[in-house]
Amino acid sequence: MLGKTFNLDLNLFFPQSPRLLGIDISSSSVKIIELSKIKKKSTNTYRLERYVIEPMSKEAIIDGNIQNLEAVGESIRKGWKKTGSRLKEAALALPAAAVITKKVVLPAGQREEDMVFQVETEANQYIPFSLDEVNLDFQVLGPVLDHPEEVEVLIAASRKEKVEDMVAAVQTAGLKAVVMDVEPFAAQAAFELMKHQLPEGGKNQVIALVDIGASITRINIIHDGESVYARDQPFGGDQLTQEIQNQFNLSVEEAEAAKRKGTLPENYDQDVLQPFCETLALEIARAFQFFFTSTQYMQVDRIFLSGGCATIPGLEAIIAARTQTITQIANPFFNMELSNRVSQRQLKQDAPLLLIACGLAMRSFDPS
């Protein structure tokens, strides 16, 4: 999986990585997680040491691009202070839309410098920018089935300014970015912690990770640990906020506050929330239809919901009914040991928002 070595030319490979903060920077908040690894009986397991979700002004990041570096840096700094962590090195992730990925087949057994040359040659065919303008990385996925003399290689590239903006935001907060991942791969890493919740550990099953963000719902479909389909639907929690504004004549700030506190009028559930959930379920069902018509797969076995809207009461059931698929809320911390700094009750509410940050914090323990 790409997340194991993907660092977008930051040149920061470690034989043994130091402990890292997982920092997920989204359009509405910054999520920071610190994990540790402990030995339990004969196996190693993770412990959630601390986490925080720090709000961020809506103008700081627009359409996935950092518009106000100082505002993003300040949110990271505040969040880090609240965690009380001493760690200062971090793993970050770029949105999938900011990264071009392509799988290619190359001869096996090459020296690394020869592989790099071939990757750059292949990348020139697929990247619509000069290689001088991008950060480029690759991951050898393994031998090609029935062709052991060849290997499948995943190439990834992003415009340098996208990487530099993320790195600069963390530096503004007094921290240091040492790993750059991609959001879907970070989420997949966290999904590894949830596989035991599935029959036979999810083997041969088609699993949809559905992240409902502020403006975009991201769907990543996985089969046996590999992403086989990804799609972004332009629909998210902002639409619910807008409907609250329109229905009850509130400002954006008032609508957001009322939504969080549950202080909306009695007709909110029927007139606003229910239609929003139905529309969201329809968007997910449409994405699945695109998946079925463009791949060999004919069904999705289970849906894991993450993101800010995942815990809306009743949403699970509505999506399950619309898609005819077992649906549950993602919780990578299920059965994970918690430090005494973490409230189990609050974590249950926050867990769906922390999938990417959790996957990034797991990069601390990569063997690569």
Side-chain angles (χ1 to χ4, degrees):
M1 187 174 66
L2 183 59
K4 289 188 177 178
T5 61
F6 186 49
N7 69 350
L8 284 177
D9 241 15
L10 288 177
N11 296 319
L12 289 158
F13 291 99
F14 292 94
Q16 288 187 325
S17 296
R19 289 264 300 281
L20 301 174
L21 295 168
I23 302 182
D24 173 24
I25 304 170
S26 72
S27 61
S28 59
S29 64
V30 172
K31 295 89 161 175
I32 303 175
I33 282 184
E34 180 184 336
L35 296 177
S36 63
K37 211 167 190 179
I38 57 175
K39 194 158 184 96
K40 206 170 185 181
K41 294 182 180 178
S42 58
T43 60
N44 290 319
T45 185
Y46 295 108
R47 177 169 63 200
L48 177 59
E49 295 293 345
R50 60 194 92 216
Y51 80 91
V52 72
I53 300 173
E54 182 66 26
M56 187 163 54
S57 65
K58 288 187 174 293
E59 298 75 27
I61 296 179
I62 299 175
D63 295 331
N65 299 311
I66 294 178
Q67 302 293 324
N68 188 330
L69 191 65
E70 289 72 23
V72 177
E74 181 61 13
S75 289
I76 296 171
R77 189 193 66 78
K78 283 183 179 178
W80 179 68
K81 287 286 187 184
K82 287 179 182 178
T83 66
S85 176
R86 295 182 178 181
L87 301 184
K88 288 195 170 186
E89 295 185 322
L92 310 176
L94 289 166
V99 183
I100 299 169
T101 59
K102 181 69 179 178
K103 289 181 182 178
V104 298
V105 174
L106 298 176
Q110 297 187 70
R111 295 181 305 169
E112 185 174 349
E113 53 265 36
D114 294 332
M115 181 75 79
V116 169
F117 175 78
Q118 283 210 292
V119 164
E120 290 180 349
T121 302
E122 292 284 340
N124 264 320
Q125 301 178 48
Y126 304 110
I127 299 171
F129 313 109
S130 164
L131 290 187
D132 292 338
E133 300 176 31
V134 302
N135 290 127
L136 181 69
D137 201 5
F138 68 93
Q139 168 73 17
V140 178
L141 300 177
V144 177
L145 188 65
D146 298 328
H147 294 277
E149 74 282 1
E150 295 178 322
V151 290
E152 192 173 40
V153 177
L154 183 58
I155 300 174
S158 179
R159 296 291 295 270
K160 284 184 176 179
E161 61 262 28
K162 301 283 188 183
V163 179
E164 290 166 355
D165 283 350
M166 295 278 280
V167 172
V170 171
Q171 288 176 337
T172 300
L175 306 177
K176 182 182 180 183
V178 299
V179 170
M180 189 68 72
D181 210 324
V182 187
E183 288 178 358
F185 295 113
Q188 277 178 242
F191 169 69
E192 293 296 310
L193 301 176
M194 300 187 290
K195 288 200 303 186
H196 66 276
Q197 301 174 35
L198 300 169
E200 298 184 13
K203 187 177 180 181
N204 296 322
Q205 295 172 46
V206 179
I207 310 298
L209 304 182
V210 178
D211 181 77
I212 310 162
S215 58
I216 294 174
T217 294
R218 292 188 166 91
I219 297 164
N220 184 17
I221 300 182
I222 299 169
H223 180 254
D224 283 345
E226 182 178 350
S227 177
V228 294
Y229 185 81
R231 184 178 179 88
D232 288 355
Q233 297 288 97
F235 190 88
D238 286 348
Q239 275 82 355
L240 178 56
T241 303
Q242 288 168 10
E243 285 301 316
I244 293 171
Q245 286 179 257
N246 297 338
Q247 185 78 16
F248 304 113
N249 195 27
L250 301 174
S251 67
V252 176
E253 293 75 16
E254 289 169 338
E256 285 284 0
K259 185 170 69 172
R260 285 194 304 270
K261 294 175 183 176
T263 56
L264 288 159
E266 287 184 8
N267 64 327
Y268 165 65
D269 283 0
Q270 182 176 342
D271 294 350
V272 179
L273 187 60
Q274 182 78 12
F276 168 80
C277 291
E278 294 286 356
T279 303
L280 177 57
L282 182 60
E283 291 288 336
I284 294 169
R286 283 175 178 164
F288 285 2
Q289 288 305 313
F290 282 116
F291 168 61
F292 299 143
T293 57
S294 60
T295 70
Q296 76 222 42
Y297 301 97
M298 300 302 294
Q299 69 176 33
V300 172
D301 297 299
R302 190 169 301 235
I303 299 169
F304 281 95
L305 299 179
S306 63
C309 294
T311 55
I312 290 176
L315 179 61
E316 252 179 296
I318 291 170
I319 292 174
R322 170 66 70 172
T323 62
Q324 293 296 291
T325 305
I326 299 170
T327 304
Q328 68 185 82
I329 296 171
N331 183 0
F333 311 104
F334 185 78
N335 283 340
M336 185 183 290
E337 187 165 320
L338 308 179
S339 77
N340 57 14
R341 291 177 289 267
V342 176
S343 162
Q344 190 166 6
R345 182 178 179 182
Q346 186 62 46
L347 179 62
K348 186 177 180 181
Q349 181 72 22
D350 293 338
L353 285 78
L354 298 170
L355 204 64
I356 292 171
C358 179
L360 292 171
M362 290 168 65
R363 291 295 306 270
S364 299
F365 312 105
D366 277 352
S368 57

